[in-house]
Amino acid sequence: METVYVDRIIDSISPEMGQSKPMGIKASNDKKYLLKTQLVNIEPYGIIKNEDAAFAQEIIAYELAKELNIPVPGYAVLEVEPEFLTENMDYCFKYHITKPGLYFGTEFIPDIQKKIMENYKTEQKCKYKHAAQKLTSAFDVSNSQAYADIIALDCFLLNGDRFTNQGNLIITSGTRKDRKVYAIDFGHCFFSPYWNNEKKELFNKLLSNPKDTDQFTNYCINIMLSIGQNCKKNPFGDVFSKMENYIYFKNTNPFSDIVKKIENISTSKLRQILYNVPDEWMVDGDFERDKYISFLSLNKHNVRKVITLMYNAHAFRHSNKGDELKWPIEKTIGIQ
Ligand SMILES: Nc1ncnc2c1ncn2[C@@H]1O[C@H](COP(=O)(O)OP(=O)(O)O)[C@@H](O)[C@H]1O
Ligand SMILES: [Mg+2]
């Protein structure tokens, strides 16, 4: 995992969106990054919360996405030195960068479609047909298989922060041939950005009953449905609705390859990923690492079930009506 130093601020690339308001910087490897913080201003209450599992969860997800060939920006562990903080005190405070240390950052992708947001707002406010059409075509990208792959990854990592959140997919500009979608922002995976008792209970729900996982998968689907409940177009959310519009089922199961790949992720790969997370990003050290490893090595077998439940809950408009979703035979049966 690459660690680089933060050299200087680049104000012009700092985005306006997002709860944690990432800060634009140039690093010692000459690349531009958006540096994130775990101290987040919870709107509209004005309370600052320490999302103490966010960096670890980001890095776990980015490493898994890389392993699975799912498009994400490059990323690095960014070191903020005391001198940098002293020299840029006011600016850093504005972005809640309050102490030196290691921060998570993604490589800045220039030229992303800002219009997507405006079209969302227009669509929501006015029900203009052309706004809805424009927004739908904005999602028409050259790598559209990525939509199914990202959904499968989010099911594996219990990411409750994409299907209704307009800021966590980025799509580049240009003609359809040049347009690409990337998944970003995995800080809220495992249904929260915190390492706390709730997270331990969530993991234990599966870990304490590994042979009967139906209850756990139903529980996950219910959480996803409750997050998406205000969305008229699709029970899983507005953004989900835009993604699933490009997922086709004719004579095929568009999830079978990615699910096979997820099921084949080895426990040793998971160990390698978790043991490379910087110590200062783990709240509970190796205990926490081992919980993530055990959870993920069980939950990888649940992804096909969760997607089947979504399919049965009419999440996909191009599904073959009345058909069951067919899967290839599972290679690894049971629990290792
Ligand atoms: N690598 C990137 N390249 C370009 N824009 C980005 C990148 N990462 C994030 N952004 C922009 O910054 C916003 C906030 O980033 P995000 O990682 O979602 O943080 P938050 O936790 O604040 O939601 C995104 O919605 C997107 O518009
Ligand atoms: Mg975000």
Side-chain angles (χ1 to χ4, degrees):
M1 245 161 256
E2 199 183 4
T3 303
V4 287
Y5 294 96
V6 175
D7 266 356
R8 64 184 174 83
I9 290 162
I10 312 182
D11 190 40
S12 57
I13 66 167
S14 301
E16 280 155 32
M17 278 199 61
Q19 247 189 348
S20 70
K21 303 255 183 306
M23 180 171 97
I25 63 111
K26 180 113 176 235
S28 52
N29 60 359
D30 252 3
K31 290 183 182 170
K32 293 175 187 167
Y33 290 92
L34 291 175
L35 177 148
K36 298 190 71 165
T37 171
Q38 294 193 132
L39 291 184
V40 173
N41 196 350
I42 308 291
E43 315 263 14
Y45 311 105
I47 307 165
I48 305 282
K49 282 208 162 186
N50 181 13
E51 299 189 336
D52 57 2
F55 286 169
Q57 295 182 168
E58 290 269 21
I59 213 163
I60 295 168
Y62 270 78
E63 282 293 308
L64 286 169
K66 253 177 28 193
E67 178 73 10
L68 297 164
N69 253 326
I70 294 176
V72 286
Y75 77 88
V77 176
L78 301 171
E79 177 151 5
V80 170
E81 294 172 291
E83 304 76 46
F84 177 86
L85 205 61
T86 320
E87 279 162 27
N88 301 285
M89 192 66 94
D90 290 349
Y91 196 89
C92 286
F93 259 68
K94 193 175 126 201
Y95 282 88
H96 303 137
I97 315 290
T98 53
K99 50 178 196 198
L102 303 180
Y103 290 78
F104 181 80
T106 60
E107 227 173 287
F108 174 65
I109 298 188
D111 231 11
I112 64 169
Q113 291 188 50
K114 303 258 170 12
K115 280 269 180 258
I116 292 186
M117 295 315 305
E118 286 164 31
N119 285 335
Y120 258 117
K121 282 180 202 144
T122 322
E123 186 192 40
Q124 274 164 1
K125 268 196 218 138
C126 325
K127 300 194 181 70
Y128 280 153
K129 229 181 168 176
H130 73 269
Q133 273 160 3
K134 252 177 155 172
L135 182 52
T136 303
S137 62
F139 277 72
D140 190 6
V141 291
S142 58
N143 62 338
S144 58
Q145 171 57 39
Y147 291 127
D149 296 353
I150 294 167
I151 288 171
L153 180 66
D154 286 336
C155 291
F156 178 32
L157 302 181
L158 314 186
N159 187 3
D161 190 31
R162 186 179 330 279
F163 301 158
T164 59
N165 187 333
Q166 298 141 18
N168 290 342
L169 276 181
I170 53 183
I171 297 177
T172 52
S173 323
T175 61
R176 185 190 168 276
K177 181 162 93 345
D178 309 311
R179 272 204 299 266
K180 266 191 83 178
V181 63
Y182 295 86
I184 58 162
D185 197 0
F186 294 86
H188 287 239
C189 281
F190 311 98
F191 292 143
S192 93
Y194 308 109
W195 177 255
N196 54 12
N197 284 337
E198 231 171 84
K199 177 79 40 85
K200 287 177 223 168
E201 275 163 29
L202 171 75
F203 284 0
N204 276 337
K205 266 195 210 329
L206 181 64
L207 294 171
S208 61
N209 203 0
K211 293 221 169 85
D212 179 11
T213 61
D214 287 358
Q215 229 183 333
F216 183 74
T217 48
N218 276 318
Y219 171 81
C220 294
I221 285 288
N222 284 333
I223 293 193
M224 288 199 266
L225 286 170
S226 69
I227 296 170
Q229 71 182 352
N230 292 325
C231 309
K232 290 185 206 95
K233 292 214 174 114
N234 189 298
F236 292 94
D238 280 345
V239 175
F240 184 93
S241 160
K242 304 294 175 206
M243 297 170 81
E244 67 81 16
N245 191 32
Y246 291 94
I247 300 179
Y248 301 99
F249 291 83
K250 204 161 183 243
N251 302 324
T252 176
N253 176 344
F255 291 99
S256 57
D257 286 351
I258 186 69
V259 166
K260 224 180 337 176
K261 280 203 231 163
I262 290 173
E263 287 168 353
N264 283 331
I265 292 170
S266 66
T267 304
S268 62
K269 181 73 205 172
L270 292 170
R271 284 184 69 79
Q272 186 201 337
I273 293 174
L274 264 298
Y275 278 84
N276 269 319
V277 177
D279 284 338
E280 66 179 82
W281 292 355
M282 303 305 297
V283 182
D284 255 344
D286 289 352
F287 171 80
E288 183 181 348
R289 288 192 170 94
D290 290 341
K291 283 281 179 213
Y292 278 101
I293 295 165
S294 314
F295 177 81
L296 288 168
S297 43
L298 272 183
N299 202 41
K300 67 181 187 178
H301 297 293
N302 288 335
V303 179
R304 62 169 73 197
K305 274 199 215 169
V306 171
I307 290 167
T308 304
L309 287 173
M310 284 178 151
Y311 186 88
N312 296 342
H314 309 293
F316 303 104
R317 82 191 67 177
H318 303 298
S319 62
N320 299 319
K321 300 277 176 292
D323 275 7
E324 253 182 55
L325 188 57
K326 296 203 178 57
W327 294 98
I329 308 291
E330 201 174 354
K331 222 173 74 189
T332 39
I333 296 165
I335 301 116
Q336 291 161 336

